[in-house]
Amino acid sequence: MKLRGNWSYPTPVKFGAGRISELADHCKAAGLKKPLLVTDRALAALPITAQALDILEAGGLGRAVFAEVDPNPDEGNMEAGLAAYRAGGHDGVVCFGGGSALDLGKMIALMVGQTIPVWDLEDVGDWWTRADASKIAPIVAVPTTAGTGSEVGRAGVLTNSKTHRKKIIFHPRLLPAVTICDPELTVGMPRFITAGTGMDAFAHCLEAYSSPFYHPMSQGIALEGMRLVLENLPKVYANPQDMDARAHMMSAAAMGAVAFQKGLGAIHALSHPIGAVYGTHHGTTNAVVMPMVLEFNRAAIEERIARAAAYLGIDGGFAGFHARVMDLRARLDIPANLSAMGVESARLDELTDMALEDPSCGGNPVAMTRANTRALFEACM
């Protein structure tokens, strides 16, 4: 596999097969002497995690792991992680895994030195300035999925267990000091995780591309990210050992996260509350509601999507693009609708209120109201 490079967009990225071997060196360069590796329960038992811990131990950095991370992590997971961090006398975090582990690792690094509640640092206005930046621990990120892109982001998502609301917690210093993107780490993902995380990357690119805000750089990155997903996600779903396609998917995931500083939209506004209430996989939920949101936004984005379709080699403009999304969902065995994921009609009013509170709805090309958002949820059922 020849795809390899050193990037700084927006943080240093060490990209290429086998580069997990550099983990200890990059931790030391970031100032870590005794890091805590944060991962999820399932990943903790896999050989790739043992490999990462072996590398840290061989580099004289100890062998400490925290794995009490739920699929939609909440403040209880964070408090347990903070207790482990303090008890071990750690000086930084290695975020190792998918979006849940990356986000929770960031929250541990953020909150270990703060005296205010984590909810006071939600991504609202300049709330991030409330944090004592000097007390944020250094972060090294190692993604093992190709979807969330949290490894190149300045925020993390945390679920409030009392309100069942997902909150985006932001601070510029949550951007990892260095990220290691090793496509070999993604080979062992279950097929449904490969599909769901890949569709998460596509949703990030699609919503960033469709967002009405002005950010030409993000616009271009989002468009190329969509191309990489459409060409490579079916390949890795069919053949997990296709390393070139794995590498392209890791690139697309990072590109989506870089691009969505331009904005997200109704796909995420709907999927965040569904994930918080029902514990569904985030990327899979995005994929389920995606075609319905495309139709919801059609009047505002039809011409823009037609231009994207032309670049992507899709005939038929908006209709052709929509059909391609439907075909991709079918090839990846994505559930047809929210009912198939266990969402109940009786809770749609509650979910509508939650969606309208989600910051993602502010980037949607069509203004989201209570009436049209409720109708959109119904269409997704």
Side-chain angles (χ1 to χ4, degrees):
M1 203 270 288
K2 298 179 180 179
L3 301 173
R4 184 180 177 90
N6 294 328
W7 302 332
S8 185
Y9 205 93
T11 195
V13 177
K14 310 304 177 182
F15 188 100
R19 298 198 71 171
I20 188 62
S21 64
E22 304 171 18
L23 177 59
D25 292 337
H26 294 306
C27 284
K28 291 175 184 176
L32 279 65
K33 297 179 181 178
K34 194 178 182 182
L36 176 66
L37 187 144
V38 176
T39 191
D40 63 56
R41 295 180 181 89
L43 202 59
L46 296 182
I48 57 172
T49 305
Q51 177 191 13
L53 291 168
D54 287 345
I55 292 166
L56 291 173
E57 187 174 37
L61 299 179
R63 189 186 186 90
V65 61
F66 173 78
E68 295 177 33
V69 180
D70 292 327
N72 292 289
D74 60 21
E75 75 277 13
N77 298 139
M78 183 189 73
E79 291 298 337
L82 288 169
Y85 185 100
R86 293 174 178 131
H90 298 291
D91 60 1
V93 175
V94 175
C95 303
F96 188 89
S100 299
L102 295 176
D103 283 356
L104 192 72
K106 288 181 176 182
M107 295 301 98
I108 293 169
L110 171 65
M111 294 306 297
V112 68
Q114 307 304 322
T115 59
I116 60 175
V118 67
W119 313 122
D120 287 357
L121 299 175
E122 187 180 354
D123 187 15
V124 176
D126 64 352
W127 284 18
W128 63 270
T129 60
R130 299 170 174 177
D132 184 344
S134 68
K135 300 291 180 63
I136 301 174
I139 300 165
V140 173
V142 185
T144 64
T145 66
T148 175
S150 187
E151 65 272 12
V152 294
R154 301 170 296 169
V157 178
L158 196 68
T159 300
N160 186 315
S161 64
K162 296 182 177 64
T163 65
H164 300 292
R165 262 67 169 175
K166 283 191 174 185
K167 298 294 185 179
I168 299 172
I169 310 300
F170 170 84
H171 195 281
R173 288 200 58 188
L174 288 181
L175 187 67
V178 65
T179 290
I180 298 174
C181 284
D182 184 341
E184 291 181 349
L185 300 179
T186 70
V187 170
M189 280 193 294
R191 292 176 82 231
F192 83 94
I193 295 295
T194 293
T197 54
M199 288 301 289
D200 193 24
F202 189 75
H204 292 159
C205 292
L206 173 59
E207 292 214 287
Y209 180 78
S210 301
S211 168
F213 303 125
Y214 180 71
H215 198 319
M217 291 178 288
S218 287
Q219 190 84 347
I221 292 167
L223 183 59
E224 177 65 3
M226 284 193 283
R227 185 188 70 81
L228 290 176
V229 174
L230 289 173
E231 292 186 4
N232 293 283
L233 182 52
K235 293 179 183 178
V236 295
Y237 190 70
N239 176 17
Q241 303 299 324
D242 187 332
M243 291 308 300
D244 279 353
R246 287 281 186 196
H248 288 313
M249 284 304 302
M250 282 204 111
S251 295
M255 291 164 72
V258 170
F260 73 56
Q261 61 187 279
K262 181 174 179 280
L264 291 171
I267 291 175
H268 280 76
L270 267 60
S271 69
H272 281 156
I274 293 166
V277 172
Y278 289 97
T280 58
H281 183 269
H282 173 65
T284 304
T285 312
N286 283 344
V288 169
V289 304
M290 185 179 294
M292 298 77 162
V293 172
L294 274 170
E295 286 290 354
F296 178 79
N297 288 328
R298 183 169 186 165
I301 65 172
E302 185 163 7
E303 182 179 345
R304 181 175 297 188
I305 292 296
R307 292 197 300 269
Y311 175 77
L312 297 168
I314 299 171
D315 294 329
F318 180 93
F321 184 91
H322 188 280
R324 182 68 176 272
V325 169
M326 294 298 290
D327 175 68
L328 182 60
R329 292 200 329 161
R331 294 173 68 178
L332 300 175
D333 298 315
I334 299 295
N337 50 50
L338 292 180
S339 298
M341 300 188 81
V343 177
E344 304 153 294
S345 295
R347 301 196 72 168
L348 291 188
D349 286 335
E350 174 190 2
L351 292 171
T352 297
D353 290 340
M354 294 169 70
L356 292 172
E357 293 174 6
D358 192 277
S360 299
C361 73
N364 199 63
V366 172
M368 297 177 68
T369 67
R370 197 174 195 288
N372 67 16
T373 302
R374 180 63 160 74
L376 178 57
F377 266 116
E378 290 174 355
C380 293
M381 298 293 285

